[in-house]
């Protein structure tokens, strides 16, 4: 158990819909990262937040957005969903050290 | 640009050593990682190495880094069935406060 929690574990929705994935980092970790793992694109970095502020952006679509709240939990919002958005979405957190701790992931299926 | 490459599959006999190879392109990579992903699970950091090191050993795991060739390898001694998983090579610049770039993962299967 990494200490990072993600909800929900599974999510099934239809094309065109909007969903919100939630992540709670390890206690005390200020950085939160979101990654997408799909069969064709592999594991890709989406976005990083540090203490509520966006720190780095990767291959995140404009239809996707994220935020980190004062209690440090983070949400990833996916809108106008397409079939190709079906993937595992991982959240990770890090503190002062050089290790990112990954959550168990949310499996999103878009039908 | 940043790119990390590794072979997709490796099959070894139980008890043998497994060697998973990886190459990366970013010369500013400071941290190089090996993550393990078991079926249906998240990623678990196995080990990491700083770019100023050549080798790191941790129990059955040995990481070798050839910075000149930008080549990283993970050796698992005495491979067991529990080692069956996908192994991801990854790199980041500066520190973990940076995004991590992952390879495509190597699926390790163990033959009896």
């Amino acid at each position: 158990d990494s200490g990072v929690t993600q909800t929900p574990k599974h999510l099934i929705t239809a094309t065109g819909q909007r969903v919100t994935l939630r992540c709670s980092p390890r206690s005390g970790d200020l950085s939160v990262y979101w990654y997408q793992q799909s069969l064709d694109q592999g594991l890709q970095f989406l976005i990083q937040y540090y203490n509520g502020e966006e720190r780095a952006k990767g291959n995140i679509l404009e239809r996707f957005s994220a935020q980190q709240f004062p209690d440090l939990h983070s949400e990833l919002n996916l809108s106008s969903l397409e079939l190709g958005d079906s993937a595992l979405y991982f959240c990770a957190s890090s503190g002062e050290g050089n290790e990112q701790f990954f959550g168990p992931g949310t499996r999103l299926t878009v039908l | 640009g940043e790119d990390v490459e590794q072979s997709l599959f490796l099959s070894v006999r139980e008890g043998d050593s497994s060697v998973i190879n990886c190459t990366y392109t970013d010369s500013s990579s400071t941290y190089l990682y090996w993550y393990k992903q078991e079926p249906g699970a998240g990623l678990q950091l196995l080990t990491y190495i700083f770019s100023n090191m050549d080798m790191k050993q941790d129990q059955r795991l040995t990481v070798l880094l050839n910075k000149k060739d930008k080549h990283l390898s993970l050796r698992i001694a005495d491979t067991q069935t529990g080692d069956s998983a996908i192994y991801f090579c990854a790199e980041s610049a500066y520190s973990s406060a940076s995004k991590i770039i992952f390879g495509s993962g190597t699926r390790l299967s163990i033959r009896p």
Side-chain angles (χ1 to χ4, degrees), chain A residues 31 33 35 37 43 45 48 55-58 88 90 94-105, chain B residues 31 33 35 37 40-45 48 50 86 88 92 95-104:
Chain A
S31 279
Y33 311 77
Y35 294 85
Q37 185 178 32
L43 193 57
F45 167 74
Q48 177 202 355
R55 167 77 60 99
K57 223 168 185 176
L88 260 174
F90 287 107
S94 69
E96 296 300 319
N98 58 353
E99 180 176 353
Q100 289 186 22
F101 295 87
F102 280 75
Chain B
Y31 291 78
Y33 309 87
Y35 280 85
Q37 185 179 30
L43 289 107
Q44 174 197 356
L45 179 66
Y48 63 91
F50 300 113
I86 301 176
F88 290 92
S92 71
S95 74
S96 70
S98 300
K99 61 183 180 180
I100 293 181
I101 306 298
F102 286 87
S104 54

Side-chain angles (χ1 to χ4, degrees), chain A residues 16-111:
Chain A
Q17 295 298 304
R18 172 190 168 94
V19 297
T20 298
L21 313 184
R22 184 188 167 102
C23 168
S24 292
R26 288 189 324 153
S27 177
D29 283 358
L30 298 180
S31 279
V32 169
Y33 311 77
W34 286 98
Y35 294 85
Q36 179 195 59
Q37 185 178 32
S38 62
L39 281 175
D40 55 344
Q41 296 289 329
L43 193 57
Q44 291 198 88
F45 167 74
L46 295 178
I47 197 164
Q48 177 202 355
Y49 277 80
Y50 178 83
N51 202 20
E53 299 289 325
E54 182 183 304
R55 167 77 60 99
K57 223 168 185 176
N59 299 320
I60 187 166
L61 300 171
E62 284 190 14
R63 299 183 286 108
F64 296 180
S65 65
Q67 54 185 328
Q68 186 180 26
F69 295 87
D71 66 352
L72 300 177
H73 91 272
S74 177
E75 292 181 355
L76 179 67
N77 300 296
L78 315 176
S79 61
S80 303
L81 284 167
E82 302 175 0
L83 295 177
D85 298 327
S86 295
L88 260 174
Y89 291 84
F90 287 107
C91 166
S93 75
S94 69
E96 296 300 319
N98 58 353
E99 180 176 353
Q100 289 186 22
F101 295 87
F102 280 75
T106 292
R107 182 172 293 280
L108 173 67
T109 303
V110 182
L111 300 175

Side-chain angles (χ1 to χ4, degrees), chain B residues 67-82:
Chain B
K67 195 173 179 182
K68 174 175 167 289
D69 295 338
K70 298 191 182 73
H71 181 268
L72 184 74
S73 69
L74 173 70
R75 178 176 178 268
I76 306 172
D78 188 23
T79 310
Q80 304 297 309
T81 54

